[in-house]
């Protein structure tokens, strides 16, 4: 019983921390979604636009809601010794863990397939909306500026877009000279072709691979915590009368 009580207390404390983190993420997500500009003023410019903050806000709200619910179920299940709450906690964590493993396998094994699929989906949107939809254009500008990339695959993604049709040039980020760290003007098709700026998908993959140890370590740490939480919740479940 001494071991059971210790694990029960640790389960409560751990999930209380998860609960508080979820509440904090929810609060920040709502703040960013409702008032992104004031968030940027306080934390300084992060080379992001208001639209990106709205998207990040929705992501934080979703992540916060999941953590909030998990933390509550874990605390409630351990404190009241509710088998139903503990089993629900276990299955939600199991589903999240399986989804993470599946996403990792798809990302590692089917990178080319994912790129081809996303190309079919993303490139037509770029050709249709870049230069006409303000929010869409701002998100892509910020992404290209931050990653030093051009389009999804390359500058040809913008051919026929409202921006190119109206200005006769490509986005300036497609003419980035990595040697001189400057933008070549005008960014016409000749200069864009000569600069050969990499697409954002490949650039993102390269950045991830460059930091593979860090990314892998964080992923392993999160997976380890999830496994530990599932084992503890199942231990408590099996030892309840």
């Amino acid at each position: 019983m001494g071991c059971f009580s210790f694990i029960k207390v640790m389960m409560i404390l751990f999930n209380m921390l998860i609960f508080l983190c979820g509440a904090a993420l929810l609060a920040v997500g709502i703040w960013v979604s409702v008032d992104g500009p004031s968030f940027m003023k306080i934390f300084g410019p992060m080379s992001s636009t208001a639209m990106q903050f709205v998207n990040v806000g929705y992501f934080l709200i979703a992540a916060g809601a999941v953590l909030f619910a998990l933390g509550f179920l874990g605390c409630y299940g351990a404190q009241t010794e509710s088998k139903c709450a503990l089993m629900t906690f276990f299955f939600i964590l199991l589903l999240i863990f399986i989804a993470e493993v599946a996403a990792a396998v798809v990302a590692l094994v089917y990178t080319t397939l994912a790129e081809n699929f996303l190309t079919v989906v993303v490139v037509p949107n770029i050709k249709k909306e870049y230069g006409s939809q303000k929010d869409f254009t701002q998100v892509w500008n910020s992404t290209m500026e931050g990653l030093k990339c051009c389009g999804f695959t390359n500058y040809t993604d913008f051919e026929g877009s409202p921006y190119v049709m109206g200005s006769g040039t490509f986005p300036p980020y497609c003419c980035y000279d990595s040697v001189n760290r400057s933008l070549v003007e005008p960014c016409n098709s000749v200069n864009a072709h000569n600069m050969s700026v990499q697409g954002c998908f490949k650039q993102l993959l390269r950045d991830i691979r460059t930091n593979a140890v860090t990314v892998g370590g964080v992923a392993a740490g999160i997976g380890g915590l999830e496994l530990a939480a599932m084992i503890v919740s199942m231990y408590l479940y099996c030892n309840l009368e």
Side-chain angles (χ1 to χ4, degrees):
M1 289 302 294
C3 181
F4 177 84
S5 299
F6 174 76
I7 291 177
K8 176 181 173 181
V9 171
M10 293 305 297
M11 178 79 169
I12 293 172
L13 292 176
F14 175 76
N15 282 281
M16 189 175 295
L17 179 62
I18 297 298
F19 178 84
L20 293 175
C21 288
L25 283 178
L26 268 175
V28 173
I30 293 171
W31 175 23
V32 172
S33 298
V34 173
D35 194 11
S38 69
F39 184 89
M40 289 203 302
K41 286 180 182 177
I42 293 175
F43 290 95
M46 301 178 185
S47 66
S48 300
T49 61
M51 179 61 186
Q52 280 185 305
F53 273 110
V54 170
N55 291 337
V56 169
Y58 291 151
F59 173 78
L60 291 176
I61 288 173
V66 171
L67 290 178
F68 188 88
L70 275 176
F72 173 79
L73 282 172
C75 280
Y76 177 80
Q79 178 63 35
T80 62
E81 299 185 355
S82 168
K83 283 194 169 186
C84 180
L86 287 173
M87 185 55 68
T88 304
F89 175 85
F90 175 85
F91 275 116
I92 291 176
L93 261 185
L94 181 62
L95 288 175
I96 293 174
F97 184 78
I98 292 172
E100 289 172 349
V101 172
V105 170
V106 170
L108 292 173
V109 179
Y110 299 105
T111 301
T112 302
L113 180 63
E115 180 181 4
N116 293 335
F117 173 76
L118 289 172
T119 300
V120 173
V121 174
V122 175
V123 174
N125 283 333
I126 293 176
K127 292 183 182 293
K128 179 183 177 181
E129 298 186 357
Y130 187 85
S132 62
Q133 296 293 329
K134 182 180 177 181
D135 292 337
F136 183 87
T137 303
Q138 286 179 333
V139 169
W140 268 103
N141 284 343
S142 181
T143 301
M144 291 188 291
E145 181 181 8
L147 294 177
K148 299 295 184 293
C149 58
C150 171
F152 186 79
T153 52
N154 54 41
Y155 76 96
T156 59
D157 294 346
F158 296 99
E159 291 179 343
S161 67
Y163 180 89
V164 173
M165 298 299 289
S167 65
T169 61
F170 290 88
Y173 314 104
C174 295
C175 294
Y176 178 74
D177 187 345
S178 59
V179 177
N180 298 320
R181 297 183 180 276
S182 61
L183 298 174
V184 177
E185 296 181 345
C187 191
N188 51 35
S189 58
V190 175
N191 286 331
H193 176 74
N194 291 336
M195 290 299 102
S196 298
V197 178
Q198 198 171 46
C200 293
F201 184 78
K202 283 188 170 60
Q203 183 64 36
L204 181 60
L205 285 180
R206 193 181 77 172
D207 289 348
I208 291 174
R209 286 165 182 160
T210 301
N211 299 284
V213 175
T214 303
V215 174
V218 171
I222 293 173
L225 284 175
E226 290 171 347
L227 281 174
M230 285 190 287
I231 291 171
V232 169
S233 64
M234 188 52 61
Y235 171 82
L236 292 177
Y237 177 88
C238 293
N239 283 273
L240 290 175
E241 296 180 358

